[in-house]
Amino acid sequence: MDRLEAMSVLVAVVEAGSLSAASRRLAMPLATVSRKLLEIEKHLKTRLLNRSSRRMTLTDAGQTYVAACKRILEQLDEAEREAAGESRAPKGQLTVTAPVVFGRQHALPVAIEFLRAYPEIDLRLVLSDQLLNFLEERIDLAIRIGILPSSSLVATRIGSTRHVLCGSPAYFSARGRPRRPEDLAAHDCISFENLATPRGWTFKSGKAERAVQIRSRLAVTTAEAAIDAARAGLGVTRVLSYMIEDAKRSGALAVALEAFEPTPWPVQVVHANQGPLPLKVRAFLDFAVPRLKTRLRPA
């Protein structure tokens, strides 16, 4: 068995999503693709893929092995280019994911600068408020907000963001500005479901934090919708501070209860713990991290 070829076939199957799609991508007969997968599983004495009529998923062993295969194949490609005397300029496709609003406000401008500086790199920017799987989504780097669960990911902190309560000046003029979290019982609230439940928000209370019940007049699933509703004067909402920078600067929204805000969340760039990084990943980290830190620095 040619192990490098088998690794390439396995990675192609995972990235393409099916044996038939990998067969077309590799211009290789479907029977050959299937045989090579069976050979590598037989060689390892373990199952790497769970196959069904509807979908194909990696086993735990498969996830670890495919990540290693990708790293080995990338390092081999770089070594061959260097031995052949090719330029050491980073090249290839890079996939970065970030939360939707943060991605539009901060990641996208930095990505545009990065692409101008590195013409041989193509970048796929995946904006999603869900925590995407690195392997299944073929992600090289992610910008994550909040406390990271224990994992093998390597994190570089680029700043922090606060949980802010905000409303329009017109709403506060008509209904009054809350002075304590308990005052929210008399206010109309707009809930962003990805950040908190529609029934309660958490505030600082001394050295601890406690939940305060609210009346959610409107519950939405995107931060943009919550902010738009607050700007329209429907009520107060709770979002992350970077989401309302422009609205606050223009005077469309004002912040309340700042003294009761919970502990800020860290903002971090994370990547897989895979030993020596591919040039394209190292180039993005070196370029983007200082620029993102500057963008997140408090004014």
Side-chain angles (χ1 to χ4, degrees), residues 245-289:
E245 287 174 356
D246 292 341
K248 185 179 175 184
R249 194 177 300 116
S250 68
L253 289 175
V255 174
L257 299 182
E258 291 177 273
F260 298 94
E261 291 174 0
T263 303
W265 275 356
V267 183
Q268 300 171 95
V269 179
V270 301
H271 62 83
N273 184 9
Q274 54 183 16
L277 291 173
L279 285 178
K280 60 185 181 180
V281 175
R282 172 52 57 195
F284 187 85
L285 284 171
D286 291 344
F287 185 94
V289 165

Side-chain angles (χ1 to χ4, degrees), residues 13 15 60 209:
V13 168
E15 291 183 345
D60 289 344
E209 294 182 356

Side-chain angles (χ1 to χ4, degrees), residues 129-292:
D129 290 327
Q130 306 301 315
L131 293 183
L132 303 180
N133 183 280
F134 266 63
L135 187 60
E136 292 177 2
E137 300 294 333
R138 293 172 288 156
I139 291 166
D140 296 296
L141 293 144
I143 298 171
R144 297 266 167 93
I145 297 174
I147 305 300
L148 294 175
S150 177
S151 72
S152 61
L153 298 178
V154 178
T156 300
R157 183 166 177 146
I158 56 175
S160 62
T161 186
R162 298 157 36 225
H163 296 70
V164 296
L165 183 97
C166 60
S168 70
Y171 175 86
F172 285 142
S173 176
R175 300 287 296 272
R177 186 183 295 259
R179 303 297 177 186
R180 301 176 304 152
E182 292 78 10
D183 295 343
L184 292 175
H187 284 268
D188 297 331
C189 297
I190 305 158
S191 299
F192 170 32
E193 293 183 350
N194 282 12
L195 195 60
T197 72
R199 295 179 298 279
W201 290 336
T202 300
F203 291 90
K204 184 171 66 177
S205 177
K207 294 184 178 180
E209 294 182 356
R210 63 187 178 88
V212 173
Q213 287 191 333
I214 61 168
R215 181 195 178 194
S216 186
R217 293 286 322 275
L218 174 67
V220 296
T221 56
T222 69
E224 296 98 319
I227 292 167
D228 287 347
R231 289 176 65 135
L234 180 66
V236 295
T237 192
R238 185 81 173 282
V239 292
L240 295 174
S241 54
Y242 72 85
M243 297 176 174
I244 62 162
E245 287 174 356
D246 292 341
K248 185 179 175 184
R249 194 177 300 116
S250 68
L253 289 175
V255 174
L257 299 182
E258 291 177 273
F260 298 94
E261 291 174 0
T263 303
W265 275 356
V267 183
Q268 300 171 95
V269 179
V270 301
H271 62 83
N273 184 9
Q274 54 183 16
L277 291 173
L279 285 178
K280 60 185 181 180
V281 175
R282 172 52 57 195
F284 187 85
L285 284 171
D286 291 344
F287 185 94
V289 165
R291 287 166 173 79
L292 290 170

Side-chain angles (χ1 to χ4, degrees), residues 28-63:
M28 179 181 291
L30 180 59
T32 304
V33 172
S34 180
R35 175 172 56 80
K36 290 189 177 296
L37 288 182
L38 291 174
E39 284 178 351
I40 201 167
E41 287 184 327
K42 183 178 179 181
H43 171 74
L44 296 171
K45 297 182 175 61
T46 188
R47 180 179 291 277
L48 301 175
L49 294 165
N50 293 315
R51 305 167 180 84
S52 70
S53 58
R54 293 188 175 182
R55 59 179 303 191
M56 182 180 65
T57 58
L58 285 165
T59 63
D60 289 344
Q63 289 189 20

